[in-house]
Amino acid sequence: MKSIVKLLASTAVAIVATLAVANAQQVTLRSAEIHPDGYPTVEAVKYMGELIAKETNGRIAIKIFPSGQLGDEKDTIQQTQFGVIDMNRISMAPLNNVVPETRIAGLPFLFRSVDHMHKVMDGPIGDEILKAFEAHGMVGLAFYDSGARSFYNSKRPIKTLADLKGLKLRVQQSDLFIDLVKAMGGNPTPMPYGEVYSGLQTGVVDGAENNWPSYQSSHHYEVAKYMSLTEHTITPEALVMSKRSFDKLSKDDQQVVRKAAKASVIKMRELWQAKEKESEEIVRKAGVEVTTVDKAEFQKAVEPVYAKHVADPKMKDLVARIRAVQ
Ligand code: BDP
């Protein structure tokens, strides 16, 4: 009897010890996200998590906190740098003041098309920009699609540059975007994404700018029904990891994470294309008035943005190489 008790006791000790080891190796990466569950970026990161779980037999998992649960994008960037947040899917705009190279993503009319943007960001220039994150406490993993951004507002249809004049327009927390709206004659108001709906509703701002899926999923179209297809920037999204969290992983696990991030880009592009169409249909059906513009006039107006933000040799060279990509 005594020996059975002893045996059971030692087995229990062994099980507890095994669990402790398993627990010690178990990593859950907390990932920040401003969009709600179901949005393409959220689904793509979920997919990345599935790939990682499979590769590591469930040892590494991703837990996404959607709908801005961990704070607005500007705050989550800081927390990612400190390692409080392990992963972040963010727009490139709020990164502009932190990682200067990300400004290329916001430079107006730089990318000629989504196809051009893909060619640049999928190639060596994209890798160079991902690498630039490391000097700022982050590891750039991949870029996600985000279509083109256009202006919408609650006051009037924008058909010409003159129509935009004087409008109070929400911009992301980026000096580049502030300068962009100023150059077009609008009054830029930097504001976190989560505050834009009430800002539009109460008249704190007259309008904002974004792509179809964000315009729709944020319900901004309900309070700003004039959409003008300025398509002034094609700004991809960034998927990053905190360098502190990344450095804690083994070299093999780091590779697993990098590979899964790249694989999720393909998934994201499929989801994005479908969502863009769906969102455009929803808002058009809801009675949004969509206008087009002569882009040349807008392009001319933003020349001062280039004069200011593409001033140093590094940025000049980057922009020239991007333009040369066919
Ligand atoms: C959306 C981006 C999101 C930004 C948002 C914004 O996907 O990351 O937070 O724009 O305008 O297109 O703030």
Side-chain angles (χ1 to χ4, degrees), residues 122-315:
D122 290 348
I125 299 178
D127 287 344
E128 198 177 309
I129 295 164
L130 286 178
K131 198 99 189 64
F133 284 86
E134 282 184 34
H136 308 279
M138 290 173 279
V139 175
L141 296 176
F143 299 111
Y144 281 167
D145 276 26
S146 194
R149 296 178 78 96
S150 290
F151 287 103
Y152 48 86
N153 79 95
S154 60
K155 297 285 179 204
R156 54 183 179 254
I158 298 171
K159 292 180 185 149
T160 65
L161 193 62
D163 296 327
L164 198 146
K165 203 169 166 47
L167 287 178
K168 278 182 287 174
L169 299 168
R170 177 268 172 171
V171 288
Q172 299 184 81
Q173 290 148 302
S174 148
D175 292 346
L176 173 69
F177 276 80
I178 293 175
D179 292 335
L180 185 153
V181 165
K182 267 192 202 155
M184 289 185 182
N187 288 331
T189 309
M191 185 186 276
Y193 189 54
E195 289 170 24
V196 182
Y197 184 91
S198 66
L200 289 165
Q201 203 177 28
T202 56
V204 170
V205 286
D206 302 318
E209 45 92 55
N210 223 313
N211 51 42
W212 290 114
S214 291
Y215 180 49
Q216 178 257 318
S217 65
S218 62
H219 297 270
H220 294 173
Y221 71 97
E222 292 168 5
V223 281
K225 71 180 190 90
Y226 299 108
M227 168 56 109
S228 175
L229 298 179
T230 48
E231 298 180 333
H232 48 276
T233 67
I234 294 175
T235 310
E237 318 273 14
L239 181 63
V240 304
M241 237 187 106
S242 163
K243 189 158 181 340
R244 286 197 180 174
S245 311
F246 192 77
D247 288 345
K248 283 185 200 151
L249 300 177
S250 70
K251 288 272 170 291
D252 284 352
D253 287 346
Q254 290 179 348
Q255 272 318 102
V256 170
V257 168
R258 282 194 190 275
K259 250 179 80 186
K262 289 279 188 196
S264 72
V265 172
I266 300 159
K267 176 83 172 172
M268 168 67 194
R269 286 187 187 163
E270 283 167 28
L271 294 169
W272 182 256
Q273 274 175 13
K275 181 69 186 167
E276 258 191 333
K277 264 204 207 110
E278 183 198 88
S279 294
E280 184 178 346
E281 266 168 38
I282 293 174
V283 302
R284 280 188 190 266
K285 254 197 211 135
V288 159
E289 197 179 317
V290 183
T291 50
T292 50
V293 300
D294 172 11
K295 287 188 193 162
E297 191 191 14
F298 287 78
Q299 208 160 343
K300 179 105 192 53
V302 296
E303 276 167 14
V305 178
Y306 278 82
K308 180 169 167 188
H309 292 274
V310 190
D312 60 280
K314 203 170 159 197
M315 278 297 278

